[in-house]
Amino acid sequence: MSSIIPGYNYDIFISYRQKDNKGDRWVSEFVEALKTELESTFKEEISVYFDINPHDGLLETHDVDESLKEKLKCLVFIPIISRTYCDPKSFAWVHEFKAFIEQASKDQYGLKVKLPGGNVANRVLPVQIHDLDADDRKMVENELGGHLRGIEFIYREAGIDKPLAPDDDENKNLNSTKYGIQIVKVAHAVKDIISAIKQYNPEHKEEESHEVKKPVSPLRKNHKKSVIIGSAMALALMILGILFVPRLFKPLEKSIAVLPFINESPVDSNKYFINGIMEEVLNNLQAIKEFRVVSRTSTDQYKDHDRPTIPEIARKLGVNYIVEGSGQMYGKTFILRVQLIKAKRKEDHEWGDTYKKEIREVSDYIEIPSQIAQAIAAELKTVLTPSEKQLIEKKTTSSLMAHEFYLRGNQELNQYSSGNLLTRGALDRAERMYKKALEFDSTFAQVYVGFAKVYWYKHYWSEYFSDTYLDSVLFLANKAISFDSQLAEAYTIRGKYYSDIGKPELAAKEIDKAIKLNPNDWSSYLIKAQNPGGDLLAGIENYHKVYSLNRGSESPGYLRALSDLYLNAGFIEKARYYAREAFRLDGDSLKFYLNSGWIETWSGNYLKGLENANKAYSMDSTNLTGLHLLGHTQMFLRNYDEALFYFKKYIECQQAAGQLNLVDLEDLGFANWQSGNKEEAEECFSKEIEYCNKAISLGRSFGNTGAYYELAAIYAVKGDRDKALKNLEFFWQQQELVVVADKIIYVQVLKDDPVFDNMRNDTDFQKIVMKINSKYQYDHERVRKWLEENDML
């Protein structure tokens, strides 16, 4: 079998040591599992070279067959990296691993290829089955010309380090990896590399300079002319230098992550105090505009003593500097050690200090985080503005007891919001601590912010359709601002409140105030991203900002949101790229297939969408998103009986989970209508109309877009042309305010939505479609220019 690319003999070459395939025949089982996954990943048949009896002799016995050299003419080389593979005398190392690198480096595509999303991938795709010692890792990386970024198949337990097997218990595996998920990652990595090779354009490759050297002419008598020409050239070079040298030598970005401080106190009950200092240091650094400081949610994953290396943490968080610290508290005295580390390739300690303080009053506590932030700013040659200095040195309360209860309340609230303790008990304890704090200082603004968050978590859904929806949250935020008008968090909460009640203009004003006070507040950028005010590009820009500031457990969700937005803007490859990036982070195959299914369906590739939807369904037949996707995809394929089956099951699963969303009844109603069940359809439509009108009257976020679309669809199906057009016109007007609602890509699917089949030839309907399409084209072009300007196209 030959490769899918002409001139190559195989698509994949598997290289391994025979020692690693003895006993449980791990390599053979891996190859079979990979082949199976490749069949569902590629439309074409992928050829894999796997020699069941590889050479395993030492160098002096090698007799390399010419046929092996031909087999190495492959697109992707997968070495099974084990302790035995890293042997400079082995056949696999010399005549397969090194030979492929040398051969690929010289062929038309090169060893490294540019992926569709802009990243670069090595055609050597290591599968690592053992931890390597430092020397072996260095040896591999020297050959690869960069870091070893393999896909790990390693099972770790206390005293155990072995290749990951299909039946290994993921709960006992310290890596928490699943064999099947890792196989999927390998298959998708192969697909990315082969896709990049398929899209390769030789014109994009840097052209070599073919400069012809001319003989030096003799000196001329007209020296004045030479001087003028020379001066002009020098001036031109100076201008070029001014314009382009700064781009070539960009200063190192002042990007910082503050890791959780280690509590070295003799008792764990002092943890709240050490955490409180860390959060104050973080808050102070976030107030400095010249810094990019990632969120606490990004660094929470590194709470334990057993952390990865500092360079590895910095790489995962996308920062250049790490702040770490440890502290002890004995009675009222605490000792704190803090250091700043420059951490791209190795650990360079830039600054460090030790603080010892007896806490007699609040200022004794507050001045330490302030000093640390200002010392870091000085070390990074950053001059603070007067307003930044004022914020960093601000005194929040004069009561030591109020401050202590506030820190304890934060500890409980953080446990709840980070998912470590998803119980109402944590919120109740936080509420009690905040109440205690106010008993000692009723003007403590930050405590009111804590109260607002507790109330939000407790009552968001129970008050959703209430006339007083979250009014208490607004009251508490206003109270906080009345005591401290420079409190960024309070403005963020007000912004979220206004956003949720359908007042985007007011929300935008509050969020802008929050960002002015805290330019690193990821949650404010998230509100801007989710409510871009009709500006699709603003949504994309702000989601990129959110991802740059929050690399926590939520970050794959932000990448999926970017995938949705790029799909809205008509950049299908970008949408696919960010779906894959999200999968790379969390390895969630179900979400990946769902994400991919929506991308293909909303971009008109219905059969491909159905293929992904079926894969998701095979993994979880009760997943609500998957059932919704299957129903929609079948509906767009005009398979109405199949659509009805999935929409029915979707509603049944919603009811079983106690979370029926009435907006989805329109889909069930339409499927019933097309299948001849008019009575059931009318019942669905009646409930849906009531729900949509209520959402519109209350101004909820769904009511600003989705409700008008659903009403238009119902009236179109029922043959009420005037009401259908009226609601479509309202929908178009709302598109100027909100671009995306519930991941429905209206501007792209409207032209093909079967609910409007009987209006396709209506002139007024076509005019509305043209207006919406015009807005879509305008957004597409703006996004394209932005991508071009940021070298992301």
Side-chain angles (χ1 to χ4, degrees):
M1 184 190 299
S2 62
S3 167
I4 60 176
I5 302 292
Y8 289 82
N9 295 323
Y10 287 91
D11 296 310
I12 301 171
F13 186 105
I14 308 288
S15 173
Y16 70 104
R17 291 295 301 273
Q18 193 172 12
K19 296 175 182 179
D20 295 319
N21 202 32
K22 291 182 177 179
D24 60 3
R25 298 180 61 75
W26 189 94
V27 182
S28 295
E29 190 169 0
F30 163 80
V31 173
E32 288 306 310
L34 178 59
K35 285 181 177 178
T36 302
E37 185 60 33
L38 289 170
E39 287 176 4
S40 61
T41 305
F42 287 86
K43 293 178 182 177
E44 311 96 325
E45 190 171 354
I46 299 300
S47 58
V48 179
Y49 177 76
F50 171 61
D51 187 353
I52 196 65
N53 294 305
H55 296 274
D56 234 1
L58 296 180
L59 190 61
E60 55 268 21
T61 67
H62 289 164
D63 181 14
V64 183
D65 194 320
E66 280 299 318
S67 65
L68 176 62
K69 294 179 181 178
E70 288 300 309
K71 288 161 185 164
L72 278 173
K73 287 183 180 178
C74 62
L75 303 179
V76 182
F77 181 88
I78 299 181
I80 309 299
I81 303 291
S82 65
R83 298 187 190 97
T84 64
Y85 192 88
C86 302
D87 180 355
K89 294 182 179 180
S90 74
F91 184 96
W93 182 268
V94 176
H95 292 290
E96 293 178 357
F97 183 63
K98 290 183 69 174
F100 174 81
I101 290 173
E102 182 180 358
Q103 183 173 297
S105 298
K106 296 175 181 177
D107 75 13
Q108 59 180 319
Y109 303 115
L111 181 62
K112 296 178 180 180
V113 293
K114 191 171 183 179
L115 301 180
N119 289 341
V120 174
N122 199 313
R123 285 167 59 192
V124 177
L125 178 59
V127 165
Q128 191 174 343
I129 62 173
H130 290 133
D131 281 325
L132 303 181
D133 60 37
D135 289 342
D136 285 347
R137 175 175 283 272
K138 187 176 180 181
M139 188 167 69
V140 174
E141 291 180 342
N142 283 341
E143 295 299 334
L144 291 174
H147 291 295
L148 171 58
R149 292 191 173 93
I151 296 175
E152 286 193 358
F153 282 76
I154 303 175
Y155 179 89
R156 290 189 184 93
E157 207 179 317
I160 299 175
D161 166 16
K162 72 177 188 70
L164 181 66
D167 56 352
D168 280 335
D169 187 345
E170 65 175 292
N171 296 317
K172 292 182 180 179
N173 183 5
L174 297 177
N175 281 353
S176 300
T177 46
K178 297 180 185 177
Y179 183 88
I181 295 295
Q182 300 305 91
I183 289 289
V184 172
K185 287 183 180 180
V186 176
H188 283 283
V190 169
K191 184 174 183 180
D192 285 344
I193 294 169
I194 291 179
S195 297
I197 291 173
K198 282 182 175 180
Q199 296 172 17
Y200 171 79
N201 185 346
E203 293 180 4
H204 292 166
K205 199 172 182 179
E206 286 188 32
E207 294 181 1
E208 293 185 6
S209 169
H210 298 286
E211 186 177 328
V212 179
K213 292 187 178 180
K214 297 180 180 180
V216 180
S217 59
L219 289 172
R220 297 180 183 176
K221 294 180 180 179
N222 193 345
H223 296 293
K224 185 176 181 181
K225 186 175 180 181
S226 300
V227 170
I228 292 172
I229 293 171
S231 300
M233 289 178 65
L235 180 61
L237 287 170
M238 287 173 63
I239 293 170
L240 286 170
I242 292 168
L243 291 174
F244 296 109
V245 169
R247 298 185 186 181
L248 295 174
F249 301 99
K250 290 177 68 175
L252 191 66
E253 184 195 28
K254 297 172 185 178
S255 50
I256 303 170
V258 181
L259 301 187
F261 287 3
I262 302 297
N263 177 32
E264 295 178 340
S265 304
V267 291
D268 199 48
S269 58
N270 290 329
K271 190 175 182 180
Y272 78 94
F273 186 84
I274 302 300
N275 286 347
I277 294 178
M278 183 276 290
E279 286 214 32
E280 287 296 329
V281 171
L282 175 64
N283 291 340
N284 289 339
L285 291 173
Q286 285 182 326
I288 301 172
K289 190 174 183 179
E290 200 171 315
F291 292 167
R292 177 170 67 83
V293 185
V294 299
S295 64
R296 179 185 58 79
T297 52
S298 302
T299 58
D300 261 354
Q301 57 190 303
Y302 303 114
K303 280 192 269 193
D304 299 329
H305 289 263
D306 186 20
R307 296 170 174 168
T309 64
I310 292 296
E312 186 177 349
I313 293 174
R315 180 179 60 79
K316 287 184 177 180
L317 297 180
V319 297
N320 294 318
Y321 298 94
I322 296 288
V323 175
E324 64 174 4
S326 60
Q328 301 164 289
M329 191 169 184
Y330 301 89
K332 292 294 182 183
T333 301
F334 77 90
I335 301 172
L336 186 69
R337 289 168 289 277
V338 185
Q339 56 184 339
L340 174 70
I341 304 167
K342 184 178 177 181
K344 283 310 274 184
R345 294 187 178 276
K346 59 180 182 177
E347 296 184 28
D348 292 331
H349 293 256
E350 298 282 299
W351 167 87
D353 209 342
T354 299
Y355 301 85
K356 184 175 182 180
K357 197 82 174 177
E358 184 177 356
I359 305 295
R360 296 180 181 274
E361 54 187 43
V362 175
S363 59
D364 295 328
Y365 173 91
I366 292 175
E367 68 182 21
I368 299 301
S370 172
Q371 289 173 12
I372 292 170
Q374 294 189 58
I376 290 172
E379 187 63 35
L380 297 181
K381 295 178 174 55
T382 300
V383 179
L384 301 183
T385 66
S387 59
E388 288 171 346
K389 198 169 190 298
Q390 183 183 8
L391 281 173
I392 289 172
E393 295 177 345
K394 180 173 64 176
K395 187 176 180 180
T396 54
T397 180
S398 57
S399 170
L400 192 59
M401 290 302 296
H403 193 262
E404 179 162 332
F405 281 117
Y406 166 69
L407 292 181
R408 290 182 183 275
N410 284 354
Q411 176 84 352
E412 297 292 347
L413 189 61
N414 288 341
Q415 282 185 313
Y416 176 86
S417 60
S418 65
N420 292 333
L421 196 60
L422 290 176
T423 65
R424 181 57 63 91
L427 290 177
D428 291 339
R429 287 191 294 274
E431 193 170 17
R432 285 198 299 271
M433 293 298 107
Y434 291 143
K435 282 181 179 176
K436 287 273 191 184
L438 290 181
E439 288 175 12
F440 290 95
D441 182 358
S442 62
T443 67
F444 196 167
Q446 288 168 311
V447 177
Y448 290 102
V449 168
F451 262 128
K453 291 178 180 178
V454 169
Y455 194 91
W456 192 291
Y457 285 132
K458 278 189 172 185
H459 303 289
Y460 181 85
W461 290 112
S462 62
E463 294 186 5
Y464 192 76
F465 278 126
S466 166
D467 292 335
T468 57
Y469 174 63
L470 296 182
D471 282 356
S472 295
V473 169
L474 180 62
F475 171 81
L476 291 165
N478 288 340
K479 193 85 171 171
I481 291 169
S482 72
F483 293 123
D484 183 357
S485 62
Q486 303 296 300
L487 191 53
E489 277 188 297
Y491 291 110
T492 301
I493 288 172
R494 281 210 310 206
K496 177 127 182 77
Y497 168 80
Y498 286 127
S499 172
D500 270 37
I501 65 169
K503 295 184 178 180
E505 298 89 351
L506 289 176
K509 289 179 182 178
E510 298 300 319
I511 294 304
D512 287 343
K513 291 175 187 175
I515 290 174
K516 186 176 181 180
L517 293 166
N518 181 358
N520 288 283
D521 179 14
W522 69 271
S523 59
S524 287
Y525 290 107
L526 181 60
I527 296 169
K528 285 173 74 77
Q530 293 170 336
N531 299 273
D535 188 344
L536 187 59
L537 177 57
I540 290 173
E541 286 180 305
N542 282 296
Y543 262 118
H544 275 291
K545 186 73 174 177
V546 172
Y547 182 64
S548 75
L549 294 172
N550 188 348
R551 297 294 179 90
S553 57
E554 307 97 334
S555 57
Y558 305 143
L559 294 177
R560 291 186 177 100
L562 274 171
S563 176
D564 287 344
L565 288 169
Y566 279 117
L567 177 60
N568 268 272
F571 292 88
I572 310 304
E573 281 306 315
K574 280 282 184 188
R576 290 171 179 148
Y577 168 74
Y578 283 105
R580 289 195 300 271
E581 283 295 288
F583 175 71
R584 183 180 62 80
L585 288 183
D586 63 12
D588 193 323
S589 296
L590 179 61
K591 286 182 179 177
F592 175 73
Y593 288 130
L594 292 172
N595 200 175
S596 299
W598 285 117
I599 290 170
E600 301 306 330
T601 293
W602 293 141
S603 58
N605 301 317
Y606 300 124
L607 290 176
K608 190 68 176 175
L610 184 62
E611 181 184 330
N612 282 286
N614 282 327
K615 286 181 181 178
Y617 187 75
S618 70
M619 299 178 72
D620 183 354
S621 62
T622 62
N623 181 274
L624 293 175
T625 305
L627 292 169
H628 203 207
L629 170 61
L630 273 167
H632 270 283
T633 308
Q634 293 286 13
M635 188 167 78
F636 274 79
L637 287 167
R638 275 59 175 176
N639 299 328
Y640 297 118
D641 289 341
E642 288 86 349
L644 179 60
F645 170 81
Y646 290 115
F647 282 138
K648 273 186 176 179
K649 188 170 182 179
Y650 174 63
I651 297 297
E652 288 168 3
C653 289
Q654 276 194 329
Q655 290 172 327
Q659 50 177 294
L660 178 60
N661 187 352
L662 293 175
V663 72
D664 298 315
L665 289 176
E666 180 268 323
D667 298 322
L668 181 60
F670 178 69
N672 268 308
W673 186 280
Q674 292 299 114
S675 298
N677 309 317
K678 297 295 174 67
E679 190 174 330
E680 291 90 337
E682 288 286 5
E683 184 181 350
C684 291
F685 290 157
S686 177
K687 291 179 181 178
E688 173 85 357
I689 289 170
E690 181 182 355
Y691 175 85
C692 288
N693 285 329
K694 188 173 184 179
I696 290 168
S697 67
L698 289 172
R700 296 294 181 261
S701 56
F702 168 76
N704 285 338
T705 51
Y708 289 118
Y709 189 93
E710 301 301 320
L711 288 171
I714 290 171
Y715 290 125
V717 172
K718 290 164 66 75
D720 193 331
R721 172 188 178 277
D722 292 342
K723 285 186 178 179
L725 290 173
K726 178 183 175 182
N727 281 284
L728 268 183
E729 186 62 40
F730 283 142
F731 164 73
W732 153 244
Q733 292 167 10
Q734 293 298 322
Q735 282 286 299
E736 293 298 304
L737 297 177
V738 182
V739 177
V740 186
D742 296 330
K743 297 183 181 178
I744 299 175
I745 320 303
Y746 298 112
V747 292
Q748 290 177 259
V749 304
L750 183 59
K751 291 185 293 183
D752 200 28
D753 194 334
V755 299
F756 295 108
D757 279 353
N758 61 0
M759 296 183 69
R760 294 277 167 233
N761 297 322
D762 188 296
T763 305
D764 291 327
F765 174 81
Q766 291 173 351
K767 286 179 182 177
I768 294 174
V769 171
M770 286 175 65
K771 284 194 290 188
I772 294 174
N773 219 30
S774 175
K775 174 70 165 67
Y776 163 69
Q777 294 296 337
Y778 169 76
D779 284 332
H780 178 86
E781 182 59 21
R782 289 185 68 232
V783 173
R784 187 196 65 76
K785 286 182 178 178
W786 179 80
L787 288 169
E788 196 173 60
E789 289 168 2
N790 289 276
D791 295 325
M792 295 170 64
L793 199 58

